[in-house]
Amino acid sequence: MEVVPYLLALASLVGFMGFARVGLGVASISSLIMIGLAVRDLSSVENYFLLILGVSSLAVFVYSMAYTKDKLQSALLPLFVLSMYGVLVSENILLFVFSWELMTLLSYLFIRDRDVGAKYFITMHIFTTIPLLLLIALAPTLSLSSLRGNLPFLLVMIAAMAKSGIVPLHFWVAETYDSAPSNVSSLFAGAMEKVALFALVKAYLTFNPSRELGLVVAILGALSLTIGTLFALKQKNAKRLLAYHSIGQMGYMWLGIGIGIYLIPSKVGYLALAAGLFHALNHSLFKGSLFLTAGAFEYSKGTVDLDKLGGLFKAMPYTGTFALLSSLAISGVPPFNGFLSKLLLYEAGYSSGDPVLQLATAFAFFISAATLASFIKFYSSAFLGGESEGSEVPVSMVVGQGIPSILCLLLGLFPLTPGVNPYSYFSSSMFLLMLAVLAVGVLVAVPFNGVEAKPWNCGATGFPEERFRLKASSYYHQYEEKIGALYSLSSYLRKAGSALVDAMASAYWWISKYFEEYIDEAIIMPVIRFLTSLTIVLRDFSVAMEVTMVLSMIILAGVIVLLVGW
């Protein structure tokens, strides 16, 4: 029996308890760092993101006990999580960039399609590696706190945009998340994106940029939540649908943090920042769980094509239940956590008094309805409509889905928001109580008579009941026609972006080939050969010197003996 996945789950649980100090009163992680790197005592923001990473990795490691068959993937998963921990705890700029690059490299190794992986890797090199190397060049010392001003913030913002899939640097997300194993996609959406968000927040807290840059962050967030969600609405591949929703949900976070940067130190600014951070935790839970649901589709049915699924609830009741909880949470339905974080964001945006931010908030409110429509499609096309052959996934995979999805409900009832009491805006417990009273009243007033009605088949004969459902590709055709121009424009821009990346990749390989054929062979290799030959000569010379010294000592000792004897 493979014990590695069990050890990983145990390690993740220990890490979650040891690293996540938020609300737990556990000692700082800095006491656990024994390698002498510049890691300072952690702030509440750093601990908050450590909590996010701890919960996400715990769920994935438990899920992977049965899901992961690849031993190499089992070995790389903890290293991938460790690299993200490195980004979160680093005050030393070299350690920060090294951990970031290690995170990029390890995430690349999980991508199964070579072309998709190459596109991802080149994109990350252009938009994250180069800005971070420039950040190192600007730093007067090795401490991140030695940097100040707008330019360092902009460099980190570009890197965070690329890593978290913010428009217009989102063109790699759907293909990459689809190509990776579902447990890894869960870490991409639940953890890696949040590490990028942490970098943005840390850059704001450390570099003290101009408040006007908050408007830029908020506008990028509004564009991302709009474009990401509208493209998710038309997908029939479950993982691509979830990937586009990651772009959209990251937009909510950027909108909240942007409003916060622009309006802090006002109360509205702190409320917006808290909303963005709270939504980061919430998104890591419901999106992490939903990607694990997609993995359950792969495991049980061998496909994530929603047109080929359907009627799975009776075959997979636990997966269906947890998927329902997460779908309601991401759709912003009370009393789940997604509703509360979005409510705080709407409150902050509407109260900002700025027409640009109010318009962005209106877009966010509208897109929340589009998110609900998208997950009606996701859930009904996968789990409803007759019955389908299949079986429930193993217990560890069910538990892995259950951990974050149940937390979606618990955090809706007992929210964990940094510095804000959302009960002043909405009481989830009171809402749940009223809902329960209403449900009991309906059952009493309209008792169920036990008669089960069959769906009407319009008079057709011999039409199988399992086909009484809408396929995912049949949803929202009229809506897609109304905004077809947006889809066409975005597709054109996506192709242009891909062409740009391909051109950059070709230039990269040409430079590498030129370097290898000319500079390497003409200059570097002769120098290396000379140094190698010199080393051999010096080594032989050193041996000769040692022999000479020994012979000299013997001769000297003999001379002394002769003189003494004489």
Side-chain angles (χ1 to χ4, degrees):
M1 180 181 65
E2 282 288 333
V3 298
V4 172
Y6 295 89
L7 295 177
L8 292 180
L10 178 61
S12 181
L13 178 61
V14 172
F16 163 66
M17 296 176 64
F19 294 146
R21 191 174 57 181
V22 180
L24 300 178
V26 182
S28 172
I29 183 180
S30 59
S31 62
L32 302 177
I33 303 298
M34 299 178 292
I35 54 179
L37 297 170
V39 181
R40 62 182 174 82
D41 289 338
L42 301 181
S43 69
S44 59
V45 172
E46 288 157 335
N47 276 293
Y48 188 76
F49 281 91
L50 287 167
L51 171 65
I52 292 174
L53 179 54
V55 176
S56 298
S57 59
L58 173 61
V60 168
F61 283 147
V62 171
Y63 183 91
S64 300
M65 292 177 184
Y67 177 81
T68 303
K69 306 298 182 182
D70 189 340
K71 293 183 179 180
L72 178 60
Q73 186 189 127
S74 296
L76 291 178
L77 271 176
L79 294 177
F80 180 47
V81 172
L82 183 62
S83 68
M84 291 187 279
Y85 274 121
V87 175
L88 297 180
V89 303
S90 300
E91 173 64 15
N92 183 304
I93 191 170
L94 293 180
L95 179 60
F96 178 87
V97 175
F98 171 79
S99 300
W100 185 287
E101 291 301 303
L102 182 61
M103 174 179 67
T104 298
L105 175 61
L106 292 171
S107 59
Y108 160 74
L109 295 177
F110 290 113
I111 301 172
R112 293 177 286 202
D113 187 296
R114 293 182 62 185
D115 292 336
V116 173
K119 178 179 178 180
Y120 167 75
F121 198 67
I122 295 297
T123 301
M124 292 302 107
H125 264 69
I126 297 170
F127 295 109
T128 69
T129 303
I130 293 176
L132 293 179
L133 290 178
L134 292 175
L135 189 71
I136 294 176
L138 291 174
T141 70
L142 293 180
S143 174
L144 281 170
S145 59
S146 66
L147 290 163
R148 287 290 186 274
N150 291 339
L151 182 55
F153 178 80
L154 285 171
L155 291 174
V156 174
M157 187 182 80
I158 292 171
M161 284 176 62
K163 186 64 73 176
S164 56
I166 294 297
V167 173
L169 303 182
H170 67 293
F171 48 83
W172 60 271
V173 173
E175 294 176 344
T176 302
Y177 284 32
D178 186 25
S179 181
S182 292
N183 58 339
V184 176
S185 299
S186 178
L187 277 179
F188 284 177
M192 187 173 73
E193 292 177 350
K194 308 308 173 297
V195 171
L197 186 72
F198 164 80
L200 179 71
V201 175
K202 185 179 181 71
Y204 162 66
L205 296 175
T206 305
F207 303 153
N208 192 27
S210 301
R211 61 186 293 267
E212 286 75 17
L213 288 176
L215 277 178
V216 178
V217 173
I219 291 171
L220 290 172
L223 287 173
S224 299
L225 67 88
T226 302
I227 292 175
T229 306
L230 291 181
F231 267 84
L233 198 61
K234 62 179 294 187
Q235 304 300 316
K236 67 173 186 175
N237 177 303
K239 292 176 72 173
R240 293 177 73 92
L241 181 148
L242 297 174
Y244 276 111
H245 272 297
S246 284
I247 298 170
Q249 296 300 310
M250 287 302 299
Y252 279 95
M253 298 167 224
W254 277 61
L255 176 60
I257 291 170
I259 296 174
I261 293 174
Y262 185 63
L263 296 180
I264 285 176
S266 69
K267 291 183 179 179
V268 174
Y270 285 114
L271 176 64
L273 184 62
L277 293 174
F278 187 29
H279 200 67
L281 173 60
N282 294 340
H283 179 257
S284 71
L285 296 175
F286 50 65
K287 185 56 63 61
S289 179
L290 286 166
F291 268 112
L292 298 182
T293 298
F297 295 158
E298 288 180 315
Y299 190 95
S300 181
K301 299 293 290 183
T303 182
V304 292
D305 188 341
L306 293 173
D307 278 349
K308 298 179 180 179
L309 300 173
L312 287 176
F313 188 85
K314 290 186 177 181
M316 307 172 69
Y318 296 108
T319 294
T321 299
F322 294 141
L324 179 61
L325 296 180
S326 300
S327 297
L328 292 173
I330 192 174
S331 301
V333 175
F336 293 91
N337 56 352
F339 170 78
L340 283 179
S341 54
K342 290 181 179 181
L343 179 64
L344 293 176
L345 179 60
Y346 302 151
E347 176 73 18
Y350 291 142
S351 303
S352 66
D354 186 283
V356 174
L357 297 180
Q358 289 174 333
L359 179 62
T361 306
F363 270 97
F365 187 81
F366 164 73
I367 287 301
S368 186
T371 303
L372 175 61
S374 180
F375 277 92
I376 289 174
K377 165 184 171 178
F378 171 84
Y379 192 84
S380 62
S381 59
F383 291 100
L384 305 181
E387 296 184 26
S388 176
E389 295 181 358
S391 59
E392 187 59 271
V393 294
V395 174
S396 65
M397 293 177 65
V398 171
V399 173
Q401 297 172 76
I403 292 172
S405 61
I406 291 174
L407 285 174
C408 288
L409 178 58
L410 293 179
L411 280 180
L413 298 174
F414 311 101
L416 175 64
T417 52
V420 174
N421 177 18
Y423 284 110
S424 60
Y425 302 94
F426 178 81
S427 173
S428 298
S429 301
M430 184 60 66
F431 175 84
L432 191 62
L433 178 61
M434 293 176 59
L435 196 64
V437 171
L438 180 62
V440 171
V442 170
L443 289 176
V444 172
V446 187
F448 179 62
N449 58 14
V451 177
E452 182 178 352
K454 294 290 185 180
W456 182 45
N457 63 3
C458 302
T461 58
F463 194 73
E465 187 175 324
E466 60 268 16
R467 295 180 61 186
F468 289 7
R469 70 181 186 92
L470 278 176
K471 291 185 177 181
S473 55
S474 301
Y475 281 75
Y476 313 131
H477 277 307
Q478 291 182 334
Y479 185 79
E480 291 181 20
E481 291 174 358
K482 295 294 183 182
I483 59 172
L486 173 64
Y487 287 136
S488 299
L489 175 61
S490 297
S491 297
Y492 173 78
L493 293 176
R494 180 177 176 275
K495 292 178 181 178
S498 297
L500 177 62
V501 171
D502 291 340
M504 295 292 290
S506 299
Y508 176 83
W509 293 121
W510 182 86
I511 292 171
S512 300
K513 184 178 180 181
Y514 180 85
F515 186 93
E516 178 184 0
E517 291 183 355
Y518 296 98
I519 299 177
D520 188 34
E521 290 295 332
I523 300 175
I524 296 180
M525 286 307 297
V527 173
I528 292 176
R529 293 189 189 102
F530 171 76
L531 292 175
T532 303
S533 302
L534 182 61
T535 302
I536 295 173
V537 171
L538 290 176
R539 185 185 63 196
D540 294 341
F541 177 75
S542 175
V543 173
M545 287 295 294
E546 290 176 4
V547 173
T548 303
M549 288 294 294
V550 172
L551 291 175
S552 299
M553 292 297 293
I554 293 173
I555 293 172
L556 179 61
V559 171
I560 294 174
V561 169
L562 289 174
L563 289 174
V564 171
W566 184 78

